[in-house]
Structure formats: C-alpha cells, structure tokens
Amino acid sequence: SIMPNLGDGALRPRENQAMMGTPAEIKLLKPDVPWYKDTAVEFSRQQISVDMYLFPYQYMDVSALSELPKFTAGTLCSYVGFNPEKDGPRFESQLHKRLTQKTAFEAVMRIRCTKGMRITNFYGNFFIRGTDLLALPNCTSDSVFAFDLAHDETNMPSAVVTVQAALLYTSSEGQRRIRVMTQALPITNSTSELIASIDTDTVCNLMSKQALDLAFKTTLDNARMRLQQTCVDIIRTSKGGRSVS
C-alpha cells in the first residue's frame, strides 16, 4: 500500500521523531485533513460501509485513513511488512469471513437504560445521528459497541439496572426487521460481589477506549494518568473491602 498523494484526499508524511514523547505527540495521532471524515459521513448517509486493508512497508497516515471505516461501521486491518507466506492465510481468512458472514444492512441502533442512569459516551465504529442514534450501514456479529453509564440519581429506585438496545436493519433477503436485546444487571453494595462479576478482558478493552477518547480530546499524559488512577481505584476498592454504590 502507498499513501494517497493526489486529489482531495492527498496526505503528506507527518512522522516527526522530535515530537515523540512530548505533549505535541498527540497531533500525530489526529487526522490533519477533514476530507476522510467528511467523506465517511456522506457514505454513512448513503448506507455505504468501508472495509480497509492496508499493507504498509513505510510510513502510512492511518489516523486519517481510519476515518473511513470508523464512521461507516467498517473495519480496518493492517499488515505491516506484509509477508505472503506468514500473513497471506490470515488476510485470506479475514477477507473471506468479511465477504461471507451474515450482515445486517442499513441499520440504526439506539440504546436506553433504566431511570436513574444515563449513557454519557459511546465507543466503536459508527456515526451518531442526533445525540444517541448509531448509524450502521453494515452490522455483523463482529461489530462491538461500548458505552459509559453514569448516575443521575443517588439512590436507585430498583434492585436492577436495565439496559435495552434496539437494532433496526435490513436482512440479506431484503426484509426490514428490528431486534431488541434487554439485560437486567443486579445492583449490589458488596465489593466482593462487584469484583467477582467483572469480565477482565471487557473492562481492559473499555478502559483502553476511554483512555484513547480522552487522549484525543486532551493529551496522552492525561490518558495515562486516567488509566493509572482507574487501576489504583479498582485495587484500592477491592483490597479495602468497602461498600460501593
């Protein structure tokens, strides 16, 4: 793969070793041209999803290119220094799966939660229409979305927090369908019960997404401090045996 260097989406090499490890490093991780996001938003409106496969042997501005799959509910796979013998089977397997897996087309999804809680942030590949409608030109079993829940009220009115997601989509047979998924999560004041219920892989993944989101909005140092403080809070709570709410 080579980086686009002509036309509206032309990119220029931005790698700068002098900026690495400084507060300015975050600028290298942000797109510096609006064309890819603007194009992705228009693609989303037209129900077009972009899957991107990169085979870089030199610098590639992935931060800009990734805007296309990010805002069209697509995927991005990068094979740095592509070796046909080593990477060929993996690429073939990923491409074959993407082309043949069951897909929901022209989808939109809305997530809501029980009274007393509210959703503050969404994470994943999508474009948000309005404040809470996720536009998904394509959606598969590999599509993953995360969100933050925040308290609106000090005391919860029930013993469970209910989260419901509704996905409206078109099937491969051309039928318009809606799929509703509802989950009731029990509330506890016991630290041990809370810690025992944690899915470590999911929590680590969500913490990484939260840190990335904060880094793009502020600095990498703030993201690192957020991760460290979250880990400290988890350990302190689990070791201290205090009740939580």
Side-chain angles (χ1 to χ4, degrees):
S1 300
I2 60 173
M3 197 160 58
N5 53 23
L6 293 174
D8 294 335
L11 299 172
R12 58 183 178 81
R14 296 190 295 138
E15 194 171 26
N16 187 342
Q17 293 296 330
M19 297 173 65
M20 305 298 258
T22 71
E25 181 181 357
I26 190 62
K27 295 180 180 179
L28 302 177
L29 304 179
K30 296 180 180 179
D32 68 341
V33 294
W35 186 86
Y36 287 93
K37 181 177 180 179
D38 293 345
T39 302
V41 172
E42 183 58 31
F43 280 0
S44 179
R45 291 195 183 101
Q46 300 299 325
Q47 303 296 347
I48 298 172
S49 181
V50 176
D51 292 323
M52 186 174 292
Y53 299 87
L54 301 178
F55 307 87
Y57 285 90
Q58 55 186 355
Y59 174 82
M60 184 78 66
D61 193 348
V62 178
S63 64
L65 296 172
S66 64
E67 300 275 81
L68 284 173
K70 175 176 175 58
F71 291 103
T72 63
T75 59
L76 185 148
C77 299
S78 181
Y79 307 84
V80 180
F82 182 78
N83 183 315
E85 293 184 1
K86 182 182 70 173
D87 301 316
R90 181 164 63 98
F91 166 62
E92 182 180 356
S93 174
Q94 290 178 331
L95 181 61
H96 179 269
K97 179 181 180 181
R98 190 62 177 167
L99 293 175
T100 59
Q101 68 185 148
K102 197 167 185 177
T103 303
F105 301 99
E106 302 176 352
V108 290
M109 182 168 68
R110 176 170 278 131
I111 304 173
R112 59 181 183 173
C113 56
T114 191
K115 182 180 179 182
M117 304 292 291
R118 59 186 171 88
I119 297 174
T120 56
N121 291 298
F122 293 96
Y123 306 96
N125 286 3
F126 51 79
F127 176 68
I128 291 187
R129 298 179 189 169
T131 59
D132 62 352
L133 187 67
L134 278 58
L136 312 169
N138 280 3
C139 187
T140 71
S141 58
D142 291 333
S143 301
V144 178
F145 310 100
F147 54 89
D148 292 333
L149 277 176
H151 287 270
D152 261 347
E153 300 177 6
T154 304
N155 297 317
M156 295 301 299
S158 65
V160 296
V161 170
T162 304
V163 179
Q164 185 178 79
L167 180 71
L168 177 65
Y169 67 97
T170 301
S171 69
S172 56
E173 292 80 20
Q175 296 177 330
R176 199 64 174 161
R177 298 177 179 177
I178 185 168
R179 183 168 186 176
V180 179
M181 297 148 281
T182 306
Q183 189 167 16
L185 308 173
I187 297 174
T188 180
N189 288 322
S190 170
T191 302
S192 59
E193 288 183 1
L194 177 63
I195 297 298
S197 70
I198 290 176
D199 184 316
T200 306
D201 291 339
T202 301
V203 169
C204 289
N205 187 285
L206 180 57
M207 287 171 56
S208 299
K209 293 181 183 298
Q210 291 171 335
L212 283 172
D213 185 63
L214 182 62
F216 289 139
K217 292 178 180 177
T218 57
T219 66
L220 286 171
D221 283 341
N222 286 343
R224 294 189 188 100
M225 291 175 61
R226 166 73 177 270
L227 272 177
Q228 292 171 359
Q229 188 59 51
T230 301
C231 292
V232 168
D233 290 343
I234 292 174
I235 294 173
R236 182 183 291 125
T237 301
S238 63
K239 296 297 183 183
R242 298 196 304 269
S243 294
V244 295
S245 58

